[in-house]
Amino acid sequence: MNIQVLPDNKLSSVDPLKSYNNVEKKEVELILVKDRNGVQYTNSSIIAASSSTESAEEAERETWGKKIDFLLSVIGFAVDLANVWRFPYLCYKNGGGAFLIPYILFLLIAGMPLFYMELALGQYNREGAATVWKICPVFKGVGYTVILIALYVGFYYNVIIAWSLFYLYSSFTLELPWQHCGNVWNSPNCTDPKVLSGSLLKNGSSYSKYKITPAAEFYERAVLHLHESKGIQDLGVPQLRLVACLVVVVFILYFSLWKGVKSSGKVVYITATMPYVVLFVLLIRGITLPGAMDGIRAYLHIDFKQLKNPKVWTEAATQIFYSLGAGFGVLIAFSSYNKFDNNCYRDALLTSSINCVTSFFSGFAIFSVLGYMAQKHGVNIKDVATEGAGLVFIIYPEAISTLPGSTFWAIVFFIMLLTLGIDSSMGGMEAVITGLSDDFKFLKRNRKLFTFATAFGTFLFALICITNGGIYVLTLLDTHAAGTAILFGVLVEAVGVSWFYGVDRFSDDIEHMMGFKPGLYWRLCWKFVSPVFLLFVVIASIVNSSDLKYDEYTFPKWSNYVGWGIALSSILLVPFYAIYKCCTVKADTLKQRIAYCITPEHEYHLVAEGKIRQFELNHWLSI
């Protein structure tokens, strides 16, 4: 490395080192900072010897035990319940095989680039979602935004895992409890599915919409106790059995995360691989059922006319974004524990591809069973096809209950749901823990206690979602807490990295890590295509927003305001922190104040010396 030696008064923003007598021993910390003109300046500072050991310990960051630990953690987070209960139905509804055209297009121009950007951002800076913005301090509020959103998601996502655990526990019987009417939770209107196959379905109603089947009543009356609530204003008390399941889920999360990536990296060996084993087993069983091929043909049918519908493109864009999980701070947190020279480019391509292939593959396992259900009840595929909780907690369990060895298949299926949820929830909680502990060092020194506090906090808030009317709270959080807010957060993140920090500077960082710069394709996507894509998705989410509903229940107006209030609570962190940062930074002029806000922290000495980069000065300040 060739270092150009400059006069003493330009070596540093601090006074030249003097001889110190009768004081404690000091050490010199030397930081090399390279300017764009090729000249390298040095920044010297004095640190006490007594604190040097502590600083070294803080600088030494934990890393993954093995590369496979990281890959499985990323795959486990990205592959979640939505891969099973949302993508197959979206694909079927929006043109079958034709839906793959916009889906793959958005994967290539936005999904993968954003995935790659977050992995590289975390790995180079070795910081969580908040402190990673030392690259452009004015955007640190984005880090707090995604951390808060990840916390919100934990409030209700753990409840869905608790449902899966409750179903798993209930499956350990000779006869599945949702197989027949006559249980204590069944209503007088409970009707055997064979009856619904007849005259009741001839009025044009969909079988998946009937709430009086044994499976539907088990979900809504035995699990949710929804019949005991009149709406979101009438929540009632938490259900004790779900409280017990939630406690188990929180304990699993805590003991998976309390020691950092050394412990969570081992848990994913089970939670990330088990869903693939189960999906394969369910697929083999599914294709042997009568009517399975009809279901698969319906899943893969190609209707190019659907591509004329803008909603199809909107849903493809939204699905690819949420499927990969960019923007929740998880990818940044996970990659921050990588070795500095890890090839995160290859990791991004591999893990994002595996996630999307898993979504497509799961459709075969789902629709083979839906085809069987349609033939069994003598209805069309569209009458049994649905998405979300209705698919995995009503339709699929009902289909399983009609199979020989139904207990075994139910146990296998709900183990898959449990593991799909656990590792995704682990990722969200790790984003919160890493993001805050990197920002507040005392939390890092007390990680076990902080992890317990985070887990216990999510447990307390989740209690609201397991009350009689808890499903309404869950629906509100799912719609608003991680809806437009997370889209806005990632949009600002992409703009901050690509335009304020700069694609060229970001590319240099990647070259420093891996020895090669990103190609022109990736740089164009980061700077132009991905921000435009995210802006499109943000606008589409706002335009398509409507009043909250859960089946036939319409939420009161005030609950919509509460939902948007929750969304704004995270969105407003971006401008509030930007204002706070720009108002509190010490500077003599407006130009210098703004420069401090958008200049990477390790280059602050250049601002102090008046050597503001032309990038910041001309492109943004226009002064």
Side-chain angles (χ1 to χ4, degrees):
M1 181 185 299
N2 296 321
I3 301 178
Q4 299 183 28
V5 180
L6 301 178
D8 288 344
N9 63 336
K10 293 186 178 180
L11 280 175
S12 173
S13 59
V14 297
D15 291 334
L17 213 58
K18 298 178 181 179
S19 175
Y20 290 89
N21 298 319
N22 301 323
V23 296
E24 59 180 333
K25 184 179 178 181
K26 304 282 185 177
E27 293 181 358
V28 178
E29 180 185 34
L30 184 64
I31 303 175
L32 297 179
V33 181
K34 182 178 179 180
D35 199 2
R36 287 191 183 279
N37 60 8
V39 178
Q40 292 181 336
Y41 300 92
T42 62
N43 180 27
S44 305
S45 59
I46 311 301
I47 56 177
S50 59
S51 64
S52 61
T53 303
E54 181 180 352
S55 300
E57 290 176 354
E58 290 183 358
E60 184 180 354
R61 189 174 183 84
E62 181 184 13
T63 58
W64 296 97
K66 296 180 180 178
K67 175 66 174 288
I68 190 66
D69 297 0
F70 165 71
L71 293 177
L72 288 178
S73 295
V74 173
I75 292 171
F77 164 72
V79 178
D80 64 353
L81 293 169
N83 294 73
V84 174
W85 78 15
R86 180 166 172 78
F87 175 84
Y89 179 75
L90 279 182
C91 186
Y92 161 76
K93 184 181 72 171
N94 293 310
F99 180 73
L100 297 178
I101 295 176
Y103 183 77
I104 294 175
L105 173 64
F106 289 134
L107 168 67
L108 295 176
I109 68 172
M112 280 185 175
L114 290 171
F115 205 88
Y116 180 20
M117 181 185 74
E118 289 208 346
L119 290 184
L121 192 64
Q123 182 173 305
Y124 181 83
N125 294 284
R126 301 179 70 77
E127 300 279 0
T131 48
V132 75
W133 286 104
K134 61 189 179 184
I135 64 173
C136 190
V138 75
F139 285 97
K140 191 175 181 179
V142 181
Y144 293 130
T145 293
V146 299
I147 290 172
L148 183 57
I149 292 174
L151 200 57
Y152 283 154
V153 172
F155 294 162
Y156 69 87
Y157 198 81
N158 291 345
V159 172
I160 301 174
I161 305 172
W163 294 347
S164 303
L165 184 60
F166 183 80
Y167 266 86
L168 177 62
Y169 168 77
S170 302
S171 299
F172 285 92
T173 58
L174 294 177
E175 186 177 86
L176 296 175
W178 55 85
Q179 194 166 351
H180 301 291
C181 296
N183 300 290
V184 293
W185 58 80
N186 289 128
S187 70
N189 296 325
C190 183
T191 307
D192 190 281
K194 295 179 181 179
V195 178
L196 290 177
S197 303
S199 59
L200 291 179
L201 288 178
K202 293 181 180 179
N203 59 6
S205 299
S206 171
Y207 181 82
S208 62
K209 298 300 181 183
Y210 276 93
K211 301 300 181 182
I212 55 176
T213 63
E217 289 203 345
F218 179 82
Y219 173 63
E220 293 202 339
R221 297 174 68 88
V223 179
L224 302 183
H225 285 251
L226 189 58
H227 62 290
E228 299 179 17
S229 173
K230 297 178 181 179
I232 193 171
Q233 73 281 358
D234 179 29
L235 295 180
V237 298
Q239 300 300 315
L240 292 180
R241 291 182 296 180
L242 287 182
V243 171
C245 292
L246 190 59
V247 168
V248 174
V249 170
V250 170
F251 265 93
I252 292 174
L253 291 173
Y254 171 69
F255 286 108
S256 299
L257 295 169
W258 69 324
K259 291 185 178 180
V261 296
K262 296 294 185 183
S263 59
S264 64
K266 303 307 178 217
V267 174
V268 292
Y269 277 77
I270 298 174
T271 57
T273 57
M274 180 64 72
Y276 289 95
V277 176
V278 175
L279 271 176
F280 181 74
V281 172
L282 290 175
L283 173 62
I284 297 302
R285 182 67 182 97
I287 60 178
T288 63
L289 298 173
M293 290 300 109
D294 294 334
I296 292 176
R297 278 193 290 268
Y299 173 54
L300 295 179
H301 81 286
I302 298 177
D303 183 6
F304 288 111
K305 294 180 181 178
Q306 289 276 19
L307 298 181
K308 297 179 181 179
N309 185 354
K311 188 176 181 181
V312 173
W313 293 82
T314 301
E315 291 193 337
T318 305
Q319 176 61 21
I320 195 64
F321 172 80
Y322 283 111
S323 179
L324 292 177
F328 288 90
V330 178
L331 301 178
I332 293 176
F334 280 165
S335 61
S336 71
Y337 296 107
N338 277 336
K339 295 179 179 178
F340 186 75
D341 60 350
N342 174 65
N343 192 335
C344 59
Y345 170 64
R346 182 176 56 200
D347 296 343
L349 296 181
L350 177 64
T351 52
S352 58
S353 299
I354 289 176
N355 172 71
C356 294
V357 170
T358 302
S359 297
F360 183 66
F361 175 74
S362 66
F364 291 91
I366 296 298
F367 271 85
S368 61
V369 173
L370 292 182
Y372 161 72
M373 283 284 287
Q375 185 179 99
K376 185 176 182 63
H377 295 298
V379 297
N380 294 324
I381 298 292
K382 65 180 181 179
D383 294 320
V384 294
T386 187
E387 63 178 327
L391 173 63
V392 297
F393 292 118
I394 298 177
I395 298 297
Y396 210 94
E398 180 182 326
I400 287 175
S401 68
T402 65
L403 301 177
S406 57
T407 296
F408 169 78
W409 295 112
I411 291 173
V412 167
F413 178 71
F414 290 112
I415 285 177
M416 180 189 74
L417 292 188
L418 187 64
T419 54
L420 278 173
I422 284 290
D423 47 16
S424 295
S425 188
M426 283 169 52
M429 194 172 293
E430 184 62 57
V432 175
I433 295 169
T434 298
L436 293 179
S437 62
D438 281 345
D439 202 22
F440 304 98
K441 300 304 181 183
F442 72 92
L443 296 178
K444 178 177 287 189
R445 292 191 294 269
N446 300 277
R447 179 180 172 106
K448 292 181 181 179
L449 183 60
F450 179 47
T451 302
F452 177 80
T454 304
F456 186 68
T458 58
F459 167 76
L460 291 179
F461 280 97
L463 291 177
I464 304 175
C465 296
I466 56 175
T467 56
N468 297 336
I471 186 64
Y472 301 127
V473 179
L474 190 149
T475 302
L476 184 147
L477 289 173
D478 186 41
T479 303
H480 289 292
T484 304
I486 191 65
L487 296 171
F488 171 80
V490 183
L491 171 60
V492 176
E493 177 186 291
V495 171
V497 172
S498 302
W499 287 89
F500 282 79
Y501 183 59
V503 167
D504 291 338
R505 195 157 22 184
F506 187 50
S507 299
D508 290 340
D509 294 345
I510 293 176
E511 183 181 24
H512 187 198
M513 285 191 298
M514 298 183 289
F516 60 88
K517 282 189 176 182
L520 178 63
Y521 172 80
W522 299 104
R523 297 199 300 273
L524 288 175
C525 285
W526 287 331
K527 193 162 188 176
F528 301 107
V529 182
S530 294
V532 171
F533 164 82
L534 289 167
L535 181 62
F536 162 74
V537 178
V538 169
I539 294 174
S541 70
I542 296 175
V543 171
N544 294 328
S545 64
S546 58
D547 290 344
L548 287 170
K549 293 187 67 176
Y550 175 79
D551 287 340
E552 301 303 320
Y553 173 77
T554 301
F555 285 66
K557 283 289 184 182
W558 63 264
S559 62
N560 289 278
Y561 299 141
V562 171
W564 282 108
I566 293 173
L568 288 174
S569 69
S570 55
I571 290 175
L572 291 178
L573 289 175
V574 177
F576 282 174
Y577 185 86
I579 295 172
Y580 164 78
K581 180 65 180 178
C582 291
C583 289
T584 56
V585 67
K586 295 180 180 180
D588 298 326
T589 64
L590 175 63
K591 181 175 69 173
Q592 193 179 51
R593 182 181 298 276
I594 298 177
Y596 270 121
C597 288
I598 63 177
T599 301
E601 290 182 356
H602 67 275
E603 298 179 3
Y604 272 6
H605 70 289
L606 295 178
V607 181
E609 296 170 356
K611 300 180 177 66
I612 304 173
R613 290 178 181 273
Q614 289 300 111
F615 178 83
E616 283 84 359
L617 180 60
N618 295 336
H619 188 68
W620 291 112
L621 303 181
S622 299
I623 296 177

